[in-house]
Amino acid sequence: MIKTPLRNLSIRNKLFLSHFLILLITLIIILISVKVNDKRLLMHQMMTQLDDIRTNIGKQSEARQTFLLKDRFTESFYITGTTESIIDYNKLINKIDSSLLVINQNKLSKNSPISEKIVSITRNIHGQEVFFNRMVDSVKQLGMGSQGLIGALNLHKKELTTNNLIASTDLKKLDELSTLYLLEKNEKAAIQFDSLARKLLFTYSNNPSAETILEEYRKTFVRIVKLERSIGNSNQDGLQNELVKQSKSNDEQLQATLKSINALYEEDVKRLEWIFYGLIAVTLIA
């Protein structure tokens, strides 16, 4: 029979050692549990911030749609340069930045792949902000009524009408084509307008005043068409399409980050289970 140093100890000392070992193992279990719980709290805080970001991104999309479908058609926007929807959009950006700051201060954000996803989300959100600002600037240049390029187009048309520089039938045809494009975004009408305007420039080439104003009329309309195409007539093209793609990408990145956090938590729970099993086995042997 193999003798061990423990066999020479008294019963009292053996009991003391066994109780000390059990106490030590219990303390280790408590420390591990506290550590895991602290990590769980950090995960919960990060997931809360990510959920807030997703909510605010959704609100940004609503503010953007309000601007495109409503506020851009108010003359006050072209006078003041801003609207309630733009103010709301910028406030939401500040809220998202605040959430990102809290996430970056979280210890878990230093772990890969979470850190990479947070960087990607931050880049995408600010990229979306750039696209939105570009769209607002384009809409502002476009104008309406007496403002912007629309105002300039109406002014040139008025000059052609008031001074009888071209035939009323020719001007009427140009006006019909421009109106058809502006109201229905009919690309065929835009092409026909440019073709007719170039033809009329040749027709009235002997009248310098008519030729000059007609050329400005044509150039202004061409710039309007380019801006409208840049903005996009729907969510399938232009800056509108870029913003929709950015929003979708942001949501996908957020979902992926949430999955990564959940996976990290599940790994910790499994690791903790194995530690508990090992410590229980050691305790039973002791």
Side-chain angles (χ1 to χ4, degrees), residues 222-235:
V222 169
R223 287 179 64 192
I224 288 172
V225 172
K226 287 181 178 179
L227 274 176
E228 287 281 9
R229 288 171 180 167
S230 173
I231 295 167
N233 299 325
S234 67
N235 289 337

Side-chain angles (χ1 to χ4, degrees), residues 76-224:
S76 61
F77 163 66
Y78 301 97
I79 297 172
T80 62
T82 188
T83 66
E84 194 68 33
S85 57
I86 294 174
I87 293 170
D88 289 341
Y89 190 93
N90 292 329
K91 285 180 179 177
L92 289 166
I93 288 175
N94 292 332
K95 288 182 179 179
I96 290 172
D97 282 339
S98 296
S99 295
L100 287 170
L101 180 61
V102 173
I103 289 173
N104 287 323
Q105 291 173 345
N106 192 306
K107 293 179 182 179
L108 293 178
S109 65
K110 307 299 187 294
N111 296 334
S112 185
I114 295 175
S115 59
E116 296 174 2
K117 288 183 171 62
I118 296 301
V119 170
S120 180
I121 290 168
T122 304
R123 189 187 301 117
N124 285 349
I125 286 171
H126 285 285
Q128 187 175 0
E129 180 185 3
V130 171
F131 280 121
F132 181 73
N133 288 334
R134 280 177 55 191
M135 186 175 68
V136 171
D137 288 337
S138 296
V139 172
K140 198 179 298 181
Q141 290 180 51
L142 194 61
M144 69 170 290
S146 60
Q147 305 292 326
L149 290 173
I150 296 294
L153 188 74
N154 292 331
L155 181 62
H156 296 322
K157 182 175 70 174
K158 185 178 179 181
E159 288 177 334
L160 291 170
T161 303
T162 303
N163 299 319
N164 294 317
L165 296 176
I166 65 174
S168 59
T169 52
D170 293 334
L171 183 58
K172 183 180 178 183
K173 184 60 178 175
L174 286 173
D175 187 44
E176 287 176 351
L177 291 171
S178 64
T179 301
L180 182 60
Y181 175 78
L182 292 173
L183 292 179
E184 300 180 12
K185 302 300 180 287
N186 188 311
E187 291 292 335
K188 185 178 178 181
I191 296 170
Q192 290 176 337
F193 178 97
D194 189 59
S195 177
L196 178 59
R198 289 179 183 277
K199 181 179 177 182
L200 292 175
L201 282 170
F202 179 77
T203 303
Y204 295 98
S205 58
N206 61 341
N207 186 337
S209 297
E211 186 180 17
T212 300
I213 297 175
L214 187 58
E215 175 64 7
E216 288 300 315
Y217 189 44
R218 187 192 70 82
K219 286 181 178 179
T220 301
F221 181 77
V222 169
R223 287 179 64 192
I224 288 172

Side-chain angles (χ1 to χ4, degrees), residues 24 59 131 269:
L24 180 62
K59 290 180 179 178
F131 280 121
V269 170

